Amino acid sequence: MIIQDQMTVIAQSRIAENIFEMQLAGKLVGDITSPGQFVHIRTADSFEPLLRRPISIASVDKEAGQMTIIYRAEGRGTTILSEKRDGDVVDVLGPLGNGFPLEETESGETAILIGGGIGVPPLYELSKQLTAKGVKCIHVLGFQSSDVVFYEDEFKALGDTHIVTVDGSQGTKGFVTTVLAELGDNFSTYYSCGPMPMLDAVQRLYVGKKGFLSFEQRMGCGIGACFACVCQTTEGTTKPYVKVCSDGPVFPAGMVAI
Amino acid sequence: MIIQDQMTVIAQSRIAENIFEMQLAGKLVGDITSPGQFVHIRTADSFEPLLRRPISIASVDKEAGQMTIIYRAEGRGTTILSEKRDGDVVDVLGPLGNGFPLEETESGETAILIGGGIGVPPLYELSKQLTAKGVKCIHVLGFQSSDVVFYEDEFKALGDTHIVTVDGSQGTKGFVTTVLAELGDNFSTYYSCGPMPMLDAVQRLYVGKKGFLSFEQRMGCGIGACFACVCQTTEGTTKPYVKVCSDGPVFPAGMVAI
Amino acid sequence: MNRLAVELPGLQLKNPIMPASGCFGFGKEYGNLYDLSVLGAIMIKATTLEMRLGNPTPRVAETASGMLNAIGLQNPGLQGVLEEELPWLKQFDVPIIANVAGTETEDYVEVAKAVSAAPNVKALELNISCPNVKCGGITFGTDPEIAKELTKAVKAVSQVPVYVKLSPNVTDITAIAKAVEAGGADGITMINTLVGMRLDQKTGRPIIANGTGGLSGPAVKPVAIRMVYEVSKVVNIPIIGMGGISETADVIDFLSAGASAVAVGTANFVNPFICPTIIEELPAKLDELGIKHISELIGRSHRL
Amino acid sequence: MNRLAVELPGLQLKNPIMPASGCFGFGKEYGNLYDLSVLGAIMIKATTLEMRLGNPTPRVAETASGMLNAIGLQNPGLQGVLEEELPWLKQFDVPIIANVAGTETEDYVEVAKAVSAAPNVKALELNISCPNVKCGGITFGTDPEIAKELTKAVKAVSQVPVYVKLSPNVTDITAIAKAVEAGGADGITMINTLVGMRLDQKTGRPIIANGTGGLSGPAVKPVAIRMVYEVSKVVNIPIIGMGGISETADVIDFLSAGASAVAVGTANFVNPFICPTIIEELPAKLDELGIKHISELIGRSHRL
Ligand SMILES: Cc1cc2nc3c(=O)[nH]c(=O)nc-3n(C[C@H](O)[C@H](O)[C@H](O)COP(=O)(O)OP(=O)(O)OC[C@H]3O[C@@H](n4cnc5c(N)ncnc54)[C@H](O)[C@@H]3O)c2cc1C
Ligand SMILES: Cc1cc2nc3c(=O)[nH]c(=O)nc-3n(C[C@H](O)[C@H](O)[C@H](O)COP(=O)(O)OP(=O)(O)OC[C@H]3O[C@@H](n4cnc5c(N)ncnc54)[C@H](O)[C@@H]3O)c2cc1C
Ligand SMILES: Cc1cc2nc3c(=O)[nH]c(=O)nc-3n(C[C@H](O)[C@H](O)[C@H](O)COP(=O)(O)O)c2cc1C
Ligand SMILES: Cc1cc2nc3c(=O)[nH]c(=O)nc-3n(C[C@H](O)[C@H](O)[C@H](O)COP(=O)(O)O)c2cc1C
Ligand code: FES
Ligand code: FES
């Protein structure tokens, strides 16, 4: 169920250049059903900034009733969020959307998780859950440069992890596809989240493979009512369009017209 | 000189129902020249609320580089101000306007200081300075009810202090004029700050006496440029109008058309 | 006595609070969050004759205390609304106001005729003010004569009272209001969005794919209040006011300005529970103002 | 090369930043805070033939990300401006744009003639858009034909280029813009304020004594950007853009939309040092955008 929760900031820290990790506690955590879901955050009790900000859930600790989000403080809303202190209360709407399907990869099979920049966070919870289920996860994580790389160790603890940077300051120089091309297609499923050009490139590389992509769109309501976040679908799909917020953000590869 | 200072909150406390006392430190304090001047405060680093809030300087400690303001948290801006914590930085423009003239009362003479509600604060610094100069100060302070009375002890330490409340829950029941009528006019100067109807009543009571009144108007710039805070003057005054922010807020009794 | 009940042509409102068209879809999503029967009414998303896919994305952009949108009237079309959306809404005890949009008089008339026959549609809202579609929409809303003729044509076929939704993007909104009143409108809803634009800092190009979008939210409230005030002085039909309503205090303002009921748009995105919250808070607000029945507030700004 | 210099009819601007009329008085108060010679130009408060005392107070009210004002063109009148204000401003190396207001064509013409002869007045800004005075002002700004005739009449007597200040409270601002261009305007300044209203919560009455006021500040920026964008597509004279500019990024937006220079109004009240701050920050902003000269930004939104 979607609830509007007044969550408490348990911890916040800067984990890379302009990248923040925030832990939040509240009953909303109990309703999270799958990795890749997101929350819609009101960053200030003011009319400016007005709209909520969609941020993926990066990891969940149901027992502690806590979740972690990782975000880049860039514009007004996320900058304000980055100034919250422990004990502050944040208005969070969620959990929203449909996450990555775990059931599409069987125990013993291999999955490739491909993330770009601030698309990396939801893959962490995904990898935790896939690994727990017995899936072998390979992570290919692309960033602009070494300053903004985060969670390398966390992903390494779960499986092979390849860091790629555009400027070559860490890991392989280039794009995620540079590494993917070398890894070959000896895997059963791929899961990806990142900027549109990256999703497009990944999808083209893996034509015919089973994959799931998480999309971004500017949002109004976040729950499917305002038609702000609509994407056209490709021919042959039953629906003429999908809403990223409520039908997605994760869709099977090939479904959304990029 | 008027400066825009990023002042630090040294302390803040609630001293009556919705009434807050805030101590601020910064170099602006060095420029304060007379009691009754005010500052123009930006309460949030946001466009909403947009405008600065004019608040009187209630007391000054030049050696410590600190000043105190006392305000009622009522609307959006003052409520945000009341949520500031020690160490927070507040954008303050000031000191603004012309305060109460100390030189109009000689050492040994008596002055009556008449305040109403949130008009009381600037009278405190005024009383401190008049008393220091050897003027005998009598304070008549009107409030709505006992919940919102503040600084009774502080004023008592400086001179006779009469508290008046509309509902009679503390001190004399009625309006400041109730007490003033009893005190008679055996004094040389009166100084007053409070709501317009109070200033009007005081002025009428003391026709012919030397007095100074501090006015309020909604403000834009606070420095005399926008013509928001203009008051018409009475006949016989050389200027056809005055600006509360830069010509005032204190004017000789009889000058401003009420 | 229900202190919040308001009666308008075709509409017995339990309370004067309803979600604004386009900000509530056809109710399903908010219906997952709370019982829609608490609402005074629901203004559903614009319905056009054929299904529309709307404009390319991005369709929204944030501005200071406001937002721009250029959804482009995406909706399932008349048949979809009649067969799926309206029947689903029947489970709630709430009158539906159907927002009707089109490109020419003919399609407005056809949609109005069909949708006004649906049992739970208690009034139409004629959208002559959508700034986000190429033809139709706003052009009907900027010329008094054209607005009047369209109102007449729709009145002739509608089985329920017709409210006309006015555009704020005009020199003199009172002229349009008087024209639609003369055309037979039973009420006015106002305001639709102000046309605005936001540019991308890096490229300098508009953020919204459509170029311009409609500005809504708290930023426009002063304009909306002024227009409701002006229009309520010159017409004798009721007004449903909207534009930036975000909290209970805003409702008081719109009623004081001359509206008989209000709609809440953008604020639903900020706080999905805003409509029920306002409805809950209203009685205490009336107490605070020393007012027995909400209707005493209507047009208070004009009296003195 | 001065990366910020912009040349407009009558105006050699060191940089494209100037305070907007009515938000800077005649410069004295801000002159106490910083050296006015750093400014690109100064738009002084509206000057009318006779001294005006303006409207009753309250004259301002805050709104979400904006403010309403109804000052009512209070000013010392033509003689006062010629004898005191303009001579005082001569000490600064900064061109003055004199904002001219009136009630009828005759007084506009008389003020324009006299004030344009002052040595430091390099251009006039014809205020046909003030919403806060009973007659004149805005009526000249809402009818293209009247606007054109007034422009012609003022052009005939002015010794310096004439910029016409447009009102946003119109159905089609491009029609007014084309009309004043046809009337001989050398440039356009836009936008003046949107007419709005705020009510007192307790009484329900308007807060501003005048009833309505002009809305300015960040709230109106999307409307201003849209209008500058539209007008710059249809006229061949330069635009000085304004409406909600509060930070350096906003300047980039207005130039991208099609303005050649900008004016800063309300933001002076929020941060009295905003003009010099923006001027200081601009070069770094140009670097960030990879741009050599500020003029490269002008009209960027129209190019693909
Ligand atoms: C489903 C989903 C999940 C996301 N998860 C994450 C995450 O885990 N970590 C993270 O750092 N970012 C994430 N993003 C992107 C994040 O929403 C934007 O970076 C953020 O909204 C920008 O807000 P701002 O205040 O920094 O920028 P501003 O420039 O102030 O934003 C202005 C407006 O544009 C919208 N906007 C700007 N960029 C984007 C964008 N890329 N996507 C959607 N809306 C945008 C904002 O929401 C806001 O309404 C996600 C986006 C979506 C749609
Ligand atoms: C010279 C001067 C000195 C003042 N000194 C004090 C003081 O020491 N302590 C104190 O509590 N108050 C003082 N006030 C009043 C104080 O400025 C207002 O109470 C305050 O601005 C209200 O802001 P808000 O955010 O609570 O209300 P909001 O309702 O959010 O205010 C909306 C707008 O109206 C303006 N406004 C509302 N009420 C007033 C008012 N009474 N006077 C001027 N502007 C108003 C605000 O500044 C703001 O622009 C003083 C006013 C003036 C002019
Ligand atoms: C995302 C969005 C979609 C809208 N769609 C419609 C619509 O389909 N029909 C219509 O008449 N108005 C539409 N509107 C306008 C609103 O109904 C309302 O008139 C306007 O937004 C002002 O109210 P607000 O400030 O409370 O949002 C839409 C507004 C928004 C923000
Ligand atoms: C207090 C105030 C007074 C104004 N007076 C005038 C005026 O005398 N003449 C004029 O042409 N515009 C006047 N304006 C309009 C501004 O010049 C400007 O066009 C408008 O405020 C939009 O810019 P902003 O949002 O940056 O304030 C005034 C605006 C304000 C806020
Ligand atoms: S954000 Fe409103 S439908 Fe997706
Ligand atoms: S507040 Fe601007 S002149 Fe006084």
Side-chain angles (χ1 to χ4, degrees), chain C residues 16 32 34 73 79 117-118 125 193-195 223 226 241 248 257 278 294:
Chain C
N32 285 333
Y34 61 84
L73 298 183
Q79 285 321 309
E125 180 181 45
T193 52
L194 276 164
V195 182
V223 175
R226 185 262 297 184
T248 306
I278 289 176
I294 196 149

Side-chain angles (χ1 to χ4, degrees), chain A:
Chain A
M1 211 184 65
I2 298 171
I3 64 167
Q4 183 181 9
D5 198 4
Q6 305 303 319
M7 300 186 81
T8 306
V9 178
I10 299 298
Q12 157 129 287
S13 58
R14 193 178 150 289
I15 56 172
E17 181 75 28
N18 282 331
I19 307 284
F20 291 79
E21 179 194 54
M22 180 186 260
Q23 250 167 287
L24 290 162
K27 59 184 180 346
L28 183 153
V29 173
D31 288 313
I32 297 172
T33 53
S34 80
Q37 286 187 299
F38 67 101
V39 290
H40 215 22
I41 303 183
R42 189 165 176 203
T43 61
D45 180 23
S46 157
F47 296 139
E48 194 271 315
L50 186 68
L51 298 174
R52 290 173 179 271
R53 301 297 193 255
I55 303 286
S56 302
I57 298 164
S59 74
V60 187
D61 180 344
K62 290 233 177 191
E63 275 178 29
Q66 297 182 1
M67 67 177 193
T68 302
I69 58 171
I70 297 170
Y71 62 93
R72 180 163 61 212
E74 201 175 16
R76 269 191 77 68
T78 51
T79 301
I80 292 172
L81 201 61
S82 73
E83 289 158 2
K84 302 279 180 204
R85 312 178 213 181
D86 294 2
D88 280 353
V89 164
V90 183
D91 177 340
V92 183
L93 183 72
L96 302 176
N98 302 299
F100 292 103
L102 294 169
E103 66 279 9
E104 294 285 345
T105 316
E106 298 296 325
S107 172
E109 291 182 337
T110 299
I112 300 204
L113 279 54
I114 309 145
I118 51 164
V120 168
L123 300 181
Y124 181 58
E125 180 65 28
L126 174 66
S127 182
K128 282 204 301 184
Q129 295 195 20
L130 285 173
T131 309
K133 180 184 165 177
V135 172
K136 182 182 171 221
C137 289
I138 301 175
H139 314 105
V140 181
L141 310 176
F143 299 93
Q144 211 55 40
S145 61
S146 65
D147 321 341
V148 290
V149 173
F150 58 89
Y151 265 39
E152 183 179 6
D153 294 342
E154 283 81 350
F155 278 100
K156 277 197 171 142
L158 295 167
D160 280 2
T161 300
H162 305 263
I163 301 291
V164 189
T165 54
V166 176
D167 67 356
S169 51
Q170 188 171 342
T172 309
K173 181 182 161 91
F175 297 97
V176 288
T177 42
T178 320
V179 172
L180 295 180
E182 285 168 21
L183 289 176
D185 61 359
N186 193 6
F187 63 88
S188 72
T189 326
Y190 70 93
Y191 298 96
S192 186
C193 183
M196 202 71 109
M198 187 196 92
L199 298 181
D200 189 34
V202 169
Q203 196 173 250
R204 281 167 198 276
L205 184 73
Y206 288 148
V207 180
K209 296 291 283 186
K210 185 166 61 174
F212 298 90
L213 311 174
S214 181
F215 286 81
E216 276 187 13
Q217 274 289 0
R218 293 199 175 225
M219 293 187 176
C221 66
I223 63 171
C226 76
F227 292 92
C229 66
V230 159
C231 290
Q232 306 300 323
T233 48
T234 50
E235 266 176 70
T237 312
T238 47
K239 289 178 161 190
Y241 66 88
V242 288
K243 295 174 194 162
V244 168
C245 69
S246 53
D247 297 323
V250 176
F251 297 100
M255 185 172 181
V256 172
I258 298 194

Side-chain angles (χ1 to χ4, degrees), chain D residues 99-144:
Chain D
N99 187 281
V100 173
T103 317
E104 316 171 9
T105 308
E106 290 66 40
D107 43 316
Y108 272 104
V109 167
E110 199 172 331
V111 175
K113 192 172 170 179
V115 85
S116 70
N120 51 346
V121 170
K122 303 298 180 198
L124 299 187
E125 180 180 44
L126 204 56
N127 185 352
I128 60 167
S129 46
C130 181
N132 298 324
V133 284
K134 287 280 170 291
C135 45
I138 206 164
T139 49
F140 283 103
T142 55
D143 181 316

